[in-house]
Amino acid sequence: IIHGGAYKFFLKDVKKSEFKNEQEVINAQTSLKNSLEELSDTYNIEFLMCNVGAVKHKLKRDNIYSFVKMTPSAVIGLINFQNKGYAYVPIN
């Protein structure tokens, strides 16, 4: 579940967002995208972005990686996965 400070790692162009001054993220964007996409493709990792937060941060769907799915809210996404038997492990 993508929420909190993680939105910036899932954007096609960080410069088109409120995170445009985060040079470390901009510099790592290509390698980070490749790693995230590999997790999605190779290991079937699902990335769900909280739509409430995306709207709050004024993120446009066309600037979010295509392998990222949207969930109405982080809580709903977490509940859905927990109902499938997954456990929540927060990573900071």
Side-chain angles (χ1 to χ4, degrees):
I1 304 294
I2 303 162
H3 66 100
Y7 295 101
K8 60 189 166 194
F9 302 117
F10 294 87
L11 300 177
K12 294 177 185 176
D13 188 352
V14 177
K15 294 176 187 175
K16 292 181 180 177
S17 73
E18 68 182 60
F19 310 107
K20 63 185 172 223
N21 296 322
E22 298 198 26
Q23 196 59 47
E24 281 187 76
V25 176
I26 293 168
N27 293 343
Q29 195 165 13
T30 300
S31 65
L32 184 58
K33 184 218 182 232
N34 292 339
S35 296
L36 293 169
E37 195 165 33
E38 182 178 1
L39 287 171
S40 177
D41 292 344
T42 305
Y43 300 101
N44 296 317
I45 303 290
E46 285 187 71
F47 294 101
L48 299 177
M49 182 176 284
C50 171
N51 191 62
V52 172
V55 170
K56 177 185 172 194
H57 292 286
K58 298 180 176 85
L59 303 178
K60 304 288 184 203
R61 182 65 182 123
D62 64 350
N63 194 30
I64 299 168
Y65 295 138
S66 61
F67 57 86
V68 173
K69 298 175 185 170
M70 302 304 286
T71 185
S73 73
V75 172
I76 290 172
L78 287 171
I79 290 169
N80 287 339
F81 274 107
Q82 288 173 329
N83 286 338
K84 294 177 185 177
Y86 292 89
Y88 174 58
V89 180
I91 300 173
N92 291 327

